[in-house]
């Protein structure tokens, strides 16, 4: 069995940190020598998940909340957990429907989860009202020689 590698990140839920999360997770995943498309999918899914935290999780709070990301590699699979301690999602199934948004006044498209699902092999969302949300993204890469 191969040794598991992981990284943990924590940062304020500010929109300007979305690019940091995207780049940091992309750099971590690069050790698997992904194709340009695979790397783009990882970055796009992370970007959408972090943006959801920024826009929705802490929108009712007076202080800026924290977003936590754990990215883990095991064999040729990548597991990325994006977690917040925000307001939670009342109806996860409804929230994951394409074009559904709770922020139409912000001209949100309601495609965040749809984009994540199109980029990943698996998307899992767990949420509790008043406790926060965890989005777990799973990617499977073709076996390559690790550098």
């Amino acid at each position: 069995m191969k040794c598991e590698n992981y990284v943990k990140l924590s940062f304020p839920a500010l929109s300007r940190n979305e690019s940091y999360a995207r780049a940091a997770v992309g750099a971590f995943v690069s050790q698997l020598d992904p194709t340009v498309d695979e790397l783009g999918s990882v970055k796009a899914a992370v970007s959408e998940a972090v943006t959801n935290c920024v826009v929705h999780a802490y929108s009712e709070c007076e202080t800026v909340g924290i977003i936590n990301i754990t990215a883990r590699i095991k064999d040729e699979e990548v597991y990325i957990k994006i977690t917040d301690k925000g307001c939670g999602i009342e109806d996860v199934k409804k929230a994951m429907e394409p074009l559904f948004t709770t922020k139409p006044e912000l001209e949100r498209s309601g495609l965040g989860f749809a984009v994540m699902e199109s980029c990943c092999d698996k998307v899992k969302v767990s949420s509790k009202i008043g406790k926060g949300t965890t989005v777990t993204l799973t990617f499977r890469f073709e076996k390559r020689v690790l550098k």
Side-chain angles (χ1 to χ4, degrees), residues 20-92:
Y20 162 73
R22 177 184 174 98
V25 174
F28 177 72
V29 169
S30 290
Q31 66 190 281
L32 289 176
D33 194 25
T35 65
V36 171
D37 287 342
E38 288 171 335
L39 188 57
S41 290
V42 169
K43 288 180 173 184
V46 168
S47 180
E48 291 295 335
V50 169
T51 297
N52 276 357
C53 292
V54 170
V55 172
H56 300 287
Y58 300 108
S59 62
E60 304 301 319
C61 299
E62 292 181 24
T63 59
V64 175
I66 298 295
I67 298 172
N68 295 294
I69 297 179
T70 302
R72 181 170 53 98
I73 295 173
K74 185 171 184 181
D75 299 321
E76 289 75 41
E77 291 189 323
V78 176
Y79 305 90
I80 303 168
K81 282 188 176 186
I82 296 98
T83 305
D84 66 66
K85 300 286 185 198
C87 62
I89 301 171
E90 189 172 319
D91 184 343
V92 171

Side-chain angles (χ1 to χ4, degrees), residues 55-56 59-60 101-108:
V55 172
H56 300 287
S59 62
E60 304 301 319
T101 182
T102 59
K103 302 283 185 190
E105 70 281 4
L106 298 179
E107 298 183 18
R108 307 307 303 178

Side-chain angles (χ1 to χ4, degrees), residues 22 40-49 52 96-99 109-121 123 137 139:
R22 177 184 174 98
S41 290
V42 169
K43 288 180 173 184
V46 168
S47 180
E48 291 295 335
N52 276 357
M96 292 183 76
E97 290 178 8
L99 304 177
S109 67
L111 292 174
F113 285 121
V115 169
M116 285 181 245
E117 288 179 319
S118 73
C119 293
C120 303
D121 290 291
V123 176
L137 311 171
F139 300 86

Side-chain angles (χ1 to χ4, degrees), residues 84-90 92 126-134:
D84 66 66
K85 300 286 185 198
C87 62
I89 301 171
E90 189 172 319
V92 171
S126 59
S127 189
K128 293 189 178 177
I129 298 297
K131 301 285 185 187
T133 301
T134 298

